[in-house]
Amino acid sequence: MIITIIRVVILYLFVSAAIRIMGKRNIGELQPTELVITLLLSEFAAIPIEDISVPLLSSLIPVMILISLEIINSVISMKSTKFRNLSDGNALIIIKDGKLDQKQLKKLRFTVDDLLSALRQKDIFDINEVAYAIIETNGTLSVLLKSQFQNATKQDVKVKSRTDGFTCPVIIDGVVVKKNLDYCDINRDDIEKILKNKKVHKNQVFLMNIDKNKNAEIILKE
């Protein structure tokens, strides 16, 4: 019994440290690769607890390998947009300008019931109130309501009107995100013109957001 307790404590501390190295995320926020590694960690940790005859090291080594793979994956993802898209996938817009994109729903194998249920979890009971809805890479739903259904803020009191829309990340790590150009009705020439006016080269940009009115916000690489 004492040996079992000691093994459980060691594995608990080791796996806790491993998950901490991976970063602080809720289960619902995990990317696909992170979720797979989390499930495998629990499996490897359970083996020596269930069977005392199994050497403890036979579980610790696979855990270290998995964490190493996740760290390598994270580093490559930070450096390569293509690898990040391949590994984590892309966010998809399923409602744009208040119109439901049925093709995207079929692509995601997302039923209307699934969509309505996800909206209700965000206290939205009428799909007609939604201006934009996006399925993120971790499967969660992000929603932007139409202006008339948004809660008023202090800033709203000072302005006469607001426009429906959202900002698109058109440049990430110096790379133009092609799939987002159509979402914000913008082309490469518009981006180049904005960069030229701000005297910034594309490769210097860490993140460039732009809205449908072509208002741009640029964060430079450090």
Side-chain angles (χ1 to χ4, degrees):
M1 178 63 72
I2 295 178
I3 295 177
T4 301
I5 294 174
I6 293 174
R7 290 163 72 93
V8 169
V9 171
I10 292 174
L11 285 167
Y12 169 77
L13 295 175
F14 193 79
V15 174
S16 296
I19 293 176
R20 185 174 180 83
I21 292 172
M22 287 175 57
K24 296 180 179 179
R25 292 203 193 201
N26 295 323
I27 292 297
E29 298 174 344
L30 294 177
Q31 298 295 345
T33 55
E34 295 172 331
L35 179 58
V36 169
I37 287 180
T38 301
L39 293 174
L40 289 175
L41 285 177
S42 63
E43 288 295 324
F44 283 125
I47 293 172
I49 294 176
E50 295 173 351
D51 188 353
I52 300 179
S53 64
V54 176
L56 195 58
L57 199 60
S58 64
S59 284
L60 298 183
I61 291 177
V63 168
M64 289 188 289
I65 293 174
L66 287 173
I67 296 304
S68 299
L69 289 174
E70 174 58 26
I71 293 174
I72 293 172
N73 178 72
S74 299
V75 171
I76 298 176
S77 295
M78 290 177 64
K79 300 293 183 180
S80 172
T81 303
K82 291 182 179 179
F83 182 84
R84 182 165 61 245
N85 291 337
L86 180 64
S87 174
D88 298 335
N90 298 312
L92 295 176
I93 296 180
I94 57 176
I95 297 179
K96 178 183 179 182
D97 290 325
K99 297 180 180 179
L100 182 63
D101 191 331
Q102 297 183 31
K103 291 183 179 179
Q104 294 287 41
L105 284 180
K106 291 180 180 178
K107 183 178 180 180
L108 291 166
R109 296 187 294 278
F110 212 70
T111 67
V112 176
D113 288 335
D114 292 332
L115 174 59
L116 295 178
S117 175
L119 290 174
R120 287 194 296 271
Q121 292 179 43
K122 292 184 174 294
D123 298 325
I124 301 171
F125 291 85
D126 187 352
I127 194 173
N128 293 317
E129 297 179 5
V130 180
Y132 288 86
I134 304 171
I135 299 294
E136 304 294 351
T137 55
N138 59 9
T140 59
L141 180 71
S142 299
V143 177
L144 176 68
L145 295 176
K146 295 177 180 177
S147 58
Q148 62 266 35
F149 299 108
Q150 295 178 15
N151 293 328
T153 64
K154 292 181 180 180
Q155 185 177 4
D156 292 328
V157 177
K158 300 178 183 179
V159 296
K160 294 182 179 180
S161 62
R162 300 177 62 185
T163 57
D164 293 328
F166 70 104
T167 57
C168 297
V170 292
I171 297 180
I172 298 177
D173 290 336
V175 178
V176 176
V177 186
K178 297 178 182 178
K179 64 183 178 64
N180 287 345
L181 299 184
D182 291 336
Y183 292 159
C184 279
D185 298 323
I186 192 171
N187 54 48
R188 286 178 176 271
D189 291 336
D190 294 326
I191 295 175
E192 292 294 337
K193 188 181 296 183
I194 293 172
L195 292 175
K196 185 176 180 180
N197 290 337
K198 293 182 177 293
K199 298 179 179 180
V200 174
H201 191 273
K202 179 181 66 175
N203 294 333
Q204 297 176 286
V205 178
F206 177 72
L207 175 64
M208 176 176 175
N209 288 326
I210 194 165
D211 61 22
K212 296 182 70 172
N213 296 322
K214 295 183 174 58
N215 298 315
E217 179 184 3
I218 297 176
I219 300 175
L220 299 178
K221 293 181 181 179
E222 295 181 352

